[in-house]
Amino acid sequence: MDRLAIVVPCYNEEEVLPITVPELNKVLKDLAAKEKISQDSFVMYVDDGSSDRTWEFIVSCHEEYEQVFGLKLAGNVGHQFALTAGLLTAKDLADVIISIDADLQDDITVIEDMIDKFHEGKDIVYGVRNDRKKDSFFKRTTAQGFYKVMAMMGVRTVYNHADFRLMSKRAVEQFSKYTETNLFLRGMMPLIGYETDCVYYERGERAAGESKYPIKKMIALAWNGITSFSVKPISFITWLGMMIILLSIAAAVYAFGSYLSGHVVAGWTSLILSIWFIGGVQLFAIGLIGQYIGKIYIEVKHRPRYNIETVLADEYYGMDNAKAGKR
């Protein structure tokens, strides 16, 4: 039977982990009892430089439960990097990997459905929300707008899917070849190209603690996704510049015609507003191009995306920390 690894990125999750650990342990036991996964399957909790007692709790659980593994990163690197660290570490230990957030808002009961689809030959199974009725109007509207904008930009994503997904070992192996620093996993997974499927579920409330993804981080993730996968914003600026040139020519023709007819165009307000408008467009265009140049600057340095400080695993490693290092 296949060995399952559940990867759980954690950042200051000491309040929710006492609920999460028993729940995920129960999922492993139930699936193993049904002979859908091997008995030595495990959950790997990735500590993303937490400032609370998250890592201490993971260590204590590792000592108490044989199916609890731990991965401690050297500093806070962000959710996408922490998740990547967990995936790339777990692929050396497991045959199939599921990623899920620690807050248990994603429905863990559909993990069995994911495993069933994996056994049917699917390499990637996306966990997709049925709806967003529980979201606030602002969050629901902005989320729907985000997916529409991504589609307009030509970026392939799965609607209402976050980072709750199953991946086969070979899918993670292919993902490991994508070495860019500007990570947007929701856009990268469809690029792998293997056979996929979806399971649908109703997203619940956070089990405990507070969300670690405020609106500021959500906007940053959306912007990173757009600029990492599409150059259409630059094309848009080009077309906007052409439109402004045409409008300026039309305004010049109109002003010259008024002058010939003896009607002088009076007033400085329209002139000042035009200068401000064109100046704003230029600054926006320079800033947008600068974003892309900044991404190139970051990529060409080829710095490690994260550093692993400690690994808590089983005898597969030979000893704890044997795999600690840079990725």
Side-chain angles (χ1 to χ4, degrees):
M1 288 179 285
D2 298 301
R3 191 183 199 192
L4 169 66
I6 300 178
V7 174
V8 186
C10 306
Y11 177 65
N12 291 345
E13 298 288 6
E14 66 174 345
E15 294 182 42
V16 77
L17 284 182
I19 302 172
T20 303
V21 171
E23 290 291 333
L24 292 181
N25 286 352
K26 184 176 182 299
V27 169
L28 293 183
K29 290 180 180 179
D30 291 344
L31 291 175
K34 296 177 181 179
E35 298 186 345
K36 293 190 175 185
I37 60 174
S38 64
Q39 294 286 345
D40 60 349
S41 297
F42 62 92
V43 184
M44 176 172 284
Y45 296 91
V46 183
D47 179 29
D48 183 23
S50 298
S51 57
D52 60 3
R53 294 184 55 82
T54 294
W55 179 246
E56 286 78 1
F57 184 80
I58 293 172
V59 172
S60 65
C61 289
H62 173 69
E63 295 171 351
E64 182 178 356
Y65 305 107
E66 61 180 8
Q67 64 266 51
V68 173
F69 290 5
L71 183 69
K72 181 175 176 59
L73 302 182
N76 176 247
V77 294
H79 179 272
Q80 299 289 279
F81 289 121
L83 182 52
T84 299
L87 292 174
L88 298 189
T89 302
K91 74 178 177 63
D92 297 326
L93 302 169
D95 304 297
V96 56
I97 303 167
I98 291 177
S99 60
I100 188 172
D101 289 337
D103 55 21
L104 292 187
Q105 286 187 276
D106 298 313
D107 187 1
I108 60 176
T109 62
V110 301
I111 289 179
E112 183 174 354
D113 298 331
M114 288 181 165
I115 295 296
D116 290 340
K117 290 184 180 295
F118 167 72
H119 289 152
E120 293 171 4
K122 311 299 182 183
D123 281 286
I124 302 177
V125 182
Y126 300 105
V128 181
R129 298 175 60 169
N130 279 327
D131 54 56
R132 289 184 170 271
K133 293 180 180 178
K134 294 184 178 180
D135 289 347
S136 64
F137 174 79
F138 176 78
K139 187 173 183 179
R140 180 169 61 253
T141 304
T142 53
Q144 292 172 346
F146 165 72
Y147 286 110
K148 291 179 180 178
V149 170
M150 292 294 282
M152 289 172 55
M153 296 295 174
V155 183
R156 293 172 55 195
T157 57
V158 178
Y159 185 71
N160 275 348
H161 164 71
D163 289 303
F164 181 32
R165 70 178 70 87
L166 174 147
M167 299 180 70
S168 66
K169 184 183 182 73
R170 73 166 186 159
V172 181
E173 290 282 2
Q174 290 299 314
F175 166 66
S176 67
K177 298 177 181 178
Y178 293 77
T179 59
E180 60 257 43
T181 301
N182 297 286
L183 291 179
F184 182 65
L185 300 185
R186 303 178 201 183
M188 295 174 70
M189 296 307 168
L191 298 178
I192 295 176
Y194 291 149
E195 192 169 357
T196 67
D197 206 338
C198 298
V199 296
Y200 297 89
Y201 66 96
E202 183 176 350
R203 188 171 172 86
E205 300 293 337
R206 185 179 174 87
E210 297 180 353
S211 173
K212 306 306 184 296
Y213 243 83
I215 184 64
K216 182 179 178 181
K217 286 189 176 181
M218 291 174 62
I219 293 174
L221 178 66
W223 180 251
N224 184 55
I226 292 172
T227 55
S228 294
F229 283 84
S230 176
V231 295
K232 285 189 176 181
I234 295 181
S235 300
F236 171 76
I237 291 297
T238 303
W239 284 105
L240 181 60
M242 293 178 64
M243 289 177 60
I244 292 175
I245 291 173
L246 293 175
L247 287 174
S248 64
I249 293 174
V253 171
Y254 173 76
F256 184 69
S258 298
Y259 176 76
L260 292 179
S261 63
H263 299 287
V264 179
V265 180
W268 57 271
T269 304
S270 58
L271 177 63
I272 295 299
L273 290 177
S274 299
I275 293 173
W276 285 357
F277 175 72
I278 295 173
V281 170
Q282 289 176 332
L283 289 175
F284 178 76
I286 293 171
L288 179 61
I289 296 171
Q291 288 281 328
Y292 282 92
I293 295 175
K295 287 179 178 291
I296 296 171
Y297 170 72
I298 293 172
E299 292 289 349
V300 297
K301 289 189 289 189
H302 297 296
R303 290 178 178 173
R305 294 181 291 188
Y306 53 84
N307 294 328
I308 296 177
E309 182 176 320
T310 307
V311 178
L312 302 177
D314 59 7
E315 68 281 357
Y316 188 98
Y317 271 122
M319 61 180 292
D320 290 346
N321 299 321
K323 290 282 186 177
K326 300 178 179 180
R327 296 299 288 269

